[in-house]
Amino acid sequence: MKLQPNTFFIVCLICSGLLASGCSWNNPYAAGTAFGGAASGFRLTAATSSGFISIELTFSQNLDPVDAEDTGNYSIPGLAINSAVLLAAGDTVRLITGQQADQQYTVTVSNVQNAANTLIISPPDNTADFNGIGYSGGEGSTPDITVPDDWGTIQQAIDNAAIGDVIYVRPGTYDERLIIDKRIILMGSGSGNNPAVDTIIESTTQTAGLDEYTVRIDTGGSSSAQRLVIKDLRVTGDIGTDGNKGTGIMIKTTDGHIKFENVASTGNQGNGIAFDITSSTTDIVLDYCYLSHNGNHGFRVPTSMPDITGLVIANSTFDGNTVAGVMLYTLGSSSDVTITDCVFAGNAVNSHTNAELLLYSFYGDATVVNITIISNGCESGIRLSGSSSLGTAGTVSFTNIYIRGTQQLAGTYPPAGLTITRYSNLNSVSFNNMDFKSTAPAGLFLGTITTNPVDIGSFIFDGTYTNDIELGRHGNSGGYAPTDVAVDATACTFVGALTDGDIEARVYHNPDDGNLGTVSWTTP
């Protein structure tokens, strides 16, 4: 309601009279602030689709963390909101939603206060429009061949293309199995599930000897400037029973220099994207990809590959895959991996010894940054593991990791937000802003770390854990040594802990088992 000038004057007189007569008013808001949006400058400034099931909301001020992560404070007609995560900047919230369509949505925010609890967002500054799957690519905008205009099938277009050609595939559903045997740019119209506007490749038939893939890549590029590129399309529905069979996109070349851009590989009985090679490769890029609801892994690097250099997974979503969202197996010290700005949700729900993100027998370098994990009962949110020979971990950095949901699948390890096992030392592994608010037996599990002390950097433990930090053995097996090294947790925050005794009750270490090392922390 807007007060008229004379009304405002009368209210002022009444208030001044009340105050003069000894009455008091406890104003919960600081002097000079306002309750609401436009007058206060507290507003929702932008909403952007950051992936197929994620949206980032940016506000003009930092937010109250409890309000920011309450999903009931957000509404988007036509989209379920499954989780809300306040990012490290303090003014940005990542919403995890149902799968978005290629359309415009409106988000409304209510009951969210700023960090100082002096302002609450209100109309008209609490709504914003955004486009679902808000991605537009850049590579290969001028086609040399158009399907079905020039050739009736995609495979015919590939067979008749020259090296470096751009093949544009119009919207529709294409019942094909493809073999890509030359460097091209294969460009669809969109990676959604609407054939009126998107390009969907869905094989419904099997051919003897050709039943392991929908798209098979037999050659790559020649450099990072001359990559094989697949973009703006969806691969779905492949069938198979084990290993690589039923994989949506299979890479069978060591050439490297391959980029997937705005590609969805979903609903395949095997993997979304996988390698089937026995040598090393280089320069593999996934950008704005959606690998979901596949019967095996979303993205899989097998044990047969010794190394991969220049693997970049960015701005991508891994959702509902049966085994793991990303599985990197047995990569050696020459490997170099970057995983950034990705969402993992509901992978590995009933898959023992697996995780949303799994780096197994991994001795390479890795940068893992701005990752949101929303688990639904898997064993681990993230698992980093060496091999039975132990050895020194490579240079691995974890920054801005948000663990939510539940890790509850009882199996080889105590379910945990983050599991790290089977290394002689972790000297080159670093942790910064590890924001853990999930439900699990352990927040951080360290199993069979045997030589040097471990500095675990800055964790925020604010979840429901039996132990925020737990030391133990790899696989809970007597065949492995316990973690008997000192663990430095002095930079960690144990939310709600008021005394050393409170933290002691949330850490499993030497006082609980004399074979284990001792965890140190800062007295609250």
Side-chain angles (χ1 to χ4, degrees):
M1 179 180 69
K2 182 178 180 181
L3 296 176
Q4 299 299 319
N6 59 336
T7 308
F8 177 75
F9 177 71
I10 294 170
V11 170
C12 289
L13 289 176
I14 294 172
C15 290
S16 61
L18 288 171
L19 293 174
S21 64
C23 295
S24 63
W25 173 42
N26 292 320
N27 180 5
Y29 296 97
T33 64
F35 184 94
S40 68
F42 180 38
R43 61 191 182 277
L44 173 62
T45 59
T48 305
S49 174
S50 55
F52 291 77
I53 61 168
S54 60
I55 301 152
E56 293 196 3
L57 307 181
T58 304
F59 295 81
S60 60
Q61 298 183 27
N62 286 0
L63 307 179
D64 176 272
V66 175
D67 291 351
E69 297 203 352
D70 184 346
T71 57
N73 291 338
Y74 308 91
S75 64
I76 306 174
L79 274 183
I81 299 174
N82 300 319
S83 185
V85 178
L86 179 63
L87 302 185
D91 63 354
T92 302
V93 173
R94 177 174 291 157
L95 299 182
I96 307 302
T97 69
Q99 184 177 343
Q100 302 162 28
D102 190 7
Q103 66 178 62
Q104 188 176 80
Y105 294 95
T106 299
V107 59
T108 301
V109 184
S110 58
N111 303 318
V112 173
Q113 298 180 84
N114 65 353
N117 297 131
T118 57
L119 305 170
I120 189 167
I121 200 162
S122 64
D125 296 317
N126 64 334
T127 65
D129 296 333
F130 66 94
N131 292 320
I133 319 177
Y135 175 82
S136 58
E139 293 197 49
S141 57
T142 304
D144 299 291
I145 299 172
T146 299
V147 178
D149 304 41
D150 299 317
W151 295 98
T153 69
I154 303 172
Q155 188 62 59
Q156 287 174 335
I158 295 170
D159 293 342
N160 288 279
I163 293 175
D165 274 358
V166 177
I167 299 174
Y168 169 62
V169 184
R170 293 193 185 278
T173 300
Y174 296 81
D175 186 353
E176 296 191 53
R177 292 184 181 274
L178 306 181
I179 297 176
I180 300 176
D181 57 0
K182 63 190 69 170
R183 179 177 63 82
I184 58 171
I185 295 176
L186 180 62
M187 179 174 66
S189 300
S191 58
N193 58 10
N194 181 359
V197 294
D198 299 309
T199 299
I200 302 169
I201 305 173
E202 179 177 10
S203 179
T204 61
T205 60
Q206 285 185 293
T207 303
L210 299 178
D211 60 350
E212 296 181 347
Y213 57 86
T214 294
V215 177
R216 189 176 98 185
I217 299 174
D218 284 354
T219 191
S222 55
S223 69
S224 59
Q226 293 185 318
R227 291 177 173 134
L228 175 111
V229 178
I230 299 177
K231 61 174 293 183
D232 300 336
L233 54 78
R234 171 175 290 239
V235 175
T236 187
D238 209 310
I239 57 177
T241 56
D242 58 74
N244 279 326
K245 293 181 179 179
T247 292
I249 301 173
M250 179 190 295
I251 302 169
K252 293 181 71 69
T253 176
T254 61
D255 291 349
H257 306 299
I258 299 171
K259 183 174 184 179
F260 301 96
E261 188 176 308
N262 188 29
V263 169
S265 187
T266 177
N268 303 290
Q269 288 188 7
N271 307 290
I273 300 176
F275 288 88
D276 185 15
I277 56 178
T278 58
S279 299
S280 300
T281 191
T282 187
D283 185 29
I284 305 297
V285 178
L286 282 71
D287 195 16
Y288 284 98
C289 289
Y290 183 51
L291 306 184
S292 79
H293 297 93
N294 295 292
N296 206 347
H297 306 87
F299 179 77
R300 180 176 185 265
V301 173
T303 57
S304 59
M305 285 179 62
D307 285 293
I308 183 169
T309 58
L311 171 62
V312 177
I313 303 174
N315 306 302
S316 295
T317 301
F318 304 86
D319 174 27
N321 297 288
T322 298
V323 182
V326 169
M327 168 78 83
L328 306 182
Y329 257 132
T330 322
L331 291 178
S333 59
S334 297
S335 295
D336 176 16
V337 175
T338 298
I339 304 174
T340 179
D341 296 287
C342 292
V343 172
F344 296 79
N347 302 285
V349 172
N350 292 305
S351 184
H352 291 286
T353 74
N354 286 300
E356 303 271 357
L357 170 58
L358 177 55
L359 288 73
Y360 183 82
S361 290
F362 187 87
Y363 288 95
D365 297 339
T367 300
V368 184
V369 60
N370 296 337
I371 303 299
T372 301
I373 305 278
I374 312 291
S375 298
N376 186 25
C378 66
E379 188 173 289
S380 298
I382 301 175
R383 180 150 70 93
L384 173 65
S385 176
S387 66
S388 59
S389 62
L390 304 184
T392 300
T395 301
V396 179
S397 64
F398 293 97
T399 304
N400 296 341
I401 309 298
Y402 306 91
I403 304 287
R404 302 292 190 269
T406 60
Q407 297 86 37
Q408 294 283 10
L409 182 63
T412 307
Y413 309 90
L418 171 61
T419 296
I420 303 179
T421 66
R422 295 200 301 188
Y423 291 105
S424 60
N425 72 71
L426 301 175
N427 285 355
S428 297
V429 180
S430 61
F431 309 90
N432 183 48
N433 191 41
M434 308 291 285
D435 188 339
F436 280 35
K437 293 182 183 178
S438 64
T439 298
L444 169 65
F445 176 71
L446 298 174
T448 308
I449 311 299
T450 59
T451 304
N452 290 22
V454 178
D455 183 347
I456 63 171
S458 58
F459 278 73
I460 302 170
F461 295 107
D462 191 18
T464 304
Y465 303 116
T466 305
N467 300 297
D468 288 348
I469 303 171
E470 180 173 341
L471 310 188
R473 303 171 187 266
H474 171 78
N476 285 333
S477 170
Y480 283 96
T483 294
D484 56 0
V485 301
V487 176
D488 183 348
T490 55
C492 295
T493 300
F494 299 84
V495 175
L498 302 177
T499 66
D500 282 333
D502 291 341
I503 298 177
E504 181 66 62
R506 293 162 60 171
V507 175
Y508 189 85
H509 61 147
N510 184 270
D512 306 290
D513 181 341
N515 295 311
L516 301 174
T518 300
V519 178
S520 60
W521 56 81
T522 301
T523 299

